[in-house]
Amino acid sequence: MKEIKVRTSSKDGMHDITAKVKALIPSSMKSGICVIFCEHTTAAVTINENADPDVKTDILNNLNRLIPFVQPEFLHREGNSAAHLKSSLIGCSLTIPVQNGYLALGCWQGIYLCEFDGPRDRQVSVTLVNS
Ligand code: ZN
């Protein structure tokens, strides 16, 4: 297992970690899977478009509209329930096929660490499984 570290700089954001993940795939890996796991309860990992940055903005704006950070009915004392909800909604792991040393991502796909309660230091683990 390998680790990717990300220092986020704002309350929320989508940080492209595609290059960092690709750098961990050995060229000798012919066929297998790459498991990406976010080790946090107020962050997440997802795959989405990496061409138009407005997609990230639209995703974050709509998540914030659906789950406002302050809601009177939240019970969690830390005050960041919205971030916990978004983390579960987006998810904590990804599985990506690996072929001939490359991640088999689609043309427009990028891998993102999603921050929902930053700024913080975040860690994502990367596990490679040969098949
Ligand atoms: Zn909390």
Side-chain angles (χ1 to χ4, degrees):
M1 185 179 89
K2 296 168 181 173
E3 299 274 355
I4 291 172
K5 296 184 187 305
V6 177
R7 171 70 184 164
T8 65
S9 57
S10 56
K11 187 71 173 174
D12 58 16
M14 290 176 65
H15 304 269
D16 191 336
I17 59 170
T18 311
K20 290 180 177 182
V21 177
K22 284 182 175 175
L24 299 176
I25 312 295
S27 58
S28 60
M29 189 171 178
K30 296 300 173 203
S31 177
I33 56 171
C34 173
V35 178
I36 299 165
F37 184 78
C38 177
E39 304 170 12
H40 305 282
T41 61
T42 56
V45 285
T46 193
I47 291 173
N48 216 299
E49 178 172 325
N50 65 0
D52 179 1
D54 286 344
V55 172
K56 294 190 299 185
T57 305
D58 286 346
I59 289 171
L60 292 171
N61 285 346
N62 277 277
L63 282 172
N64 287 332
R65 185 175 52 80
L66 291 168
I67 310 171
F69 205 84
V70 177
Q71 295 185 49
E73 62 270 21
F74 282 152
L75 301 177
H76 179 48
R77 291 172 137 190
E78 192 183 7
N80 61 354
S81 282
H84 289 292
L85 267 82
K86 291 173 194 169
S87 173
S88 281
L89 195 65
I90 300 301
C92 64
S93 72
L94 300 169
T95 304
I96 303 170
V98 176
Q99 284 197 312
N100 299 317
Y102 291 99
L103 287 175
L105 288 168
C107 178
W108 305 110
Q109 290 183 318
I111 306 163
Y112 292 94
L113 166 72
C114 303
E115 175 62 78
F116 298 125
D117 193 22
R120 294 182 191 238
D121 290 313
R122 301 297 196 177
Q123 281 195 174
V124 174
S125 72
V126 177
T127 304
L128 300 174
V129 182
N130 284 290
S131 64

